[in-house]
């Protein structure tokens, strides 16, 4: 079932989103060669707790940490550990915060030191595809309009889009209906309405879209070792478009 949020609920989600944005601001400051993903997780969790929220992902279906930390060829759901970031890596930090019962969710891919131009291009195109998708977020459009806009933009560069990983509705639960796929047909799927809150999140591989889950049951990697980028905002649908909730004012 797709829930429509009241203005009061959207303000609570905006506060959750602001806290998520503060985590990302901090991540941008501290991500550099030599830091471990476990240390990034510790810093992120502290920001969430200091702002009176709780980490949405910790203990969610058994996930052990506050953030997903996915390096290079890991697409999503990397478990923070003692792995040290090296110059030239990329890392996606995906983080959710729950404030007074409402969630915000945003993932972002960061450069560690000096990154190869081809990887910079992958990240730029993936980030741009997020905004191409968001341009379609307005009452009267359909979920498939978002999916199609992302797919059309990304495919032009020959990149792979793993279809099993999608955006989603969000609110009292971090994952709600509907799914927001990153591939699809314009005009198809659920009708978008004012008050719906969704997380739009293109996830893109430089090469093939084929991927597998690690033995830990969480991390997802490409078979061909191609690197992955991922950009996500939580938004609320307004009268004539969308409002990004996962940002600082
Ligand atoms: Mg999400
Ligand atoms: Mg996320």
């Amino acid at each position: 079932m797709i829930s429509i949020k009241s203005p009061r609920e959207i303000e609570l989600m905006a506060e959750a989103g602001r806290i998520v944005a503060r985590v990302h601001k901090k991540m941008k400051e501290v991500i550099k060669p030599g830091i471990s993903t476990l240390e990034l997780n510790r810093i992120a969790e502290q920001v969430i707790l200091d702002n009176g929220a709780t980490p949405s992902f910790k203990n969610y279906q058994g996930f052990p940490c506050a953030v997903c930390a996915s390096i290079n060829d890991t697409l999503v759901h990397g478990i923070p550990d003692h792995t040290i970031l090296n110059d030239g890596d990329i890392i996606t930090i995906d983080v959710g915060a729950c404030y007074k019962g409402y969630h915000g969710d945003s993932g972002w891919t960061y450069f560690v030191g000096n990154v190869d131009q081809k990887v910079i291009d992958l990240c730029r195109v993936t980030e741009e595809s997020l905004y191409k998708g968001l341009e379609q977020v307005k009452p009267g459009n359909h979920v498939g309009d978002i999916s199609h806009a992302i797919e059309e933009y990304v495919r032009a560069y020959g990149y792979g889009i793993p279809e099993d990983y999608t955006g989603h509705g969000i609110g009292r639960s971090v994952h709600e209906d509907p799914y927001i796929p990153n591939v699809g047909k314009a005009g198809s799927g659920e009708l978008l309405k004012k008050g719906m809150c969704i997380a739009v999140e293109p996830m893109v591989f430089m090469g093939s879209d084929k991927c597998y889950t690690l033995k830990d049951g969480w991390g997802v990697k490409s078979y061909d070792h191609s690197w992955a980028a991922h950009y996500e905002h939580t938004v609320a649908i307004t009268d004539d478009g969308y409002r990004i909730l996962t940002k600082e004012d």
Side-chain angles (χ1 to χ4, degrees), residues 159-181:
Y159 297 141
I161 307 173
E163 296 188 21
D164 288 349
Y165 298 90
T166 72
H168 50 90
I170 178 167
R172 284 195 160 276
S173 299
V174 69
H175 293 130
E176 297 185 353
D177 291 337
Y179 288 113
I180 314 286

Side-chain angles (χ1 to χ4, degrees), residues 21-212:
R22 284 179 199 134
V23 174
H24 278 296
K25 193 176 170 193
K26 189 73 184 171
M27 293 293 101
K28 206 174 169 180
E29 283 170 31
V30 297
I31 286 174
K32 47 177 66 92
I35 196 166
S36 73
T37 53
L38 203 57
E39 180 64 2
L40 293 174
N41 178 74
R42 190 193 63 74
I43 294 167
E45 184 164 9
Q46 198 58 52
V47 173
I48 294 169
L49 297 174
D50 287 348
N51 282 276
T54 53
S56 305
F57 300 166
K58 196 171 182 178
N59 301 321
Y60 179 81
Q61 295 180 357
F63 190 79
C65 292
V67 305
C68 300
S70 305
I71 300 171
N72 299 345
D73 61 344
T74 303
L75 177 71
V76 286
H77 305 160
I79 298 178
D81 61 13
H82 294 290
T83 304
I84 299 288
L85 297 182
N86 291 310
D87 186 59
D89 286 345
I90 52 173
I91 180 168
T92 299
I93 299 292
D94 195 352
V95 57
C98 182
Y99 180 77
K100 295 189 175 172
Y102 290 86
H103 296 268
D105 179 11
S106 172
W108 216 257
T109 303
Y110 295 97
F111 302 144
V112 183
N114 300 300
V115 171
D116 190 90
Q117 185 60 46
K118 278 203 281 199
V119 177
I120 293 172
D121 291 343
L122 169 76
C123 293
R124 175 182 53 81
V125 168
T126 307
E127 184 180 355
E128 286 168 354
S129 79
L130 166 61
Y131 295 100
K132 293 288 174 193
L134 289 176
E135 280 173 16
Q136 299 300 318
V137 177
K138 55 185 138 188
N141 269 8
H142 291 77
V143 166
D145 294 311
I146 304 170
S147 312
H148 176 73
I150 293 170
E151 179 179 10
E152 190 181 45
Y153 192 73
V154 168
R155 292 256 194 251
Y157 293 86
Y159 297 141
I161 307 173
E163 296 188 21
D164 288 349
Y165 298 90
T166 72
H168 50 90
I170 178 167
R172 284 195 160 276
S173 299
V174 69
H175 293 130
E176 297 185 353
D177 291 337
Y179 288 113
I180 314 286
N182 294 315
V183 299
K185 232 176 104 200
S188 69
E190 301 283 351
L191 183 65
L192 302 177
K193 294 178 184 163
K194 182 185 173 185
M196 284 170 59
C197 292
I198 56 175
V200 178
E201 48 180 317
M203 290 161 259
V204 175
F205 280 125
M206 196 184 292
S208 158
D209 59 6
K210 298 285 179 286
C211 48
Y212 67 98

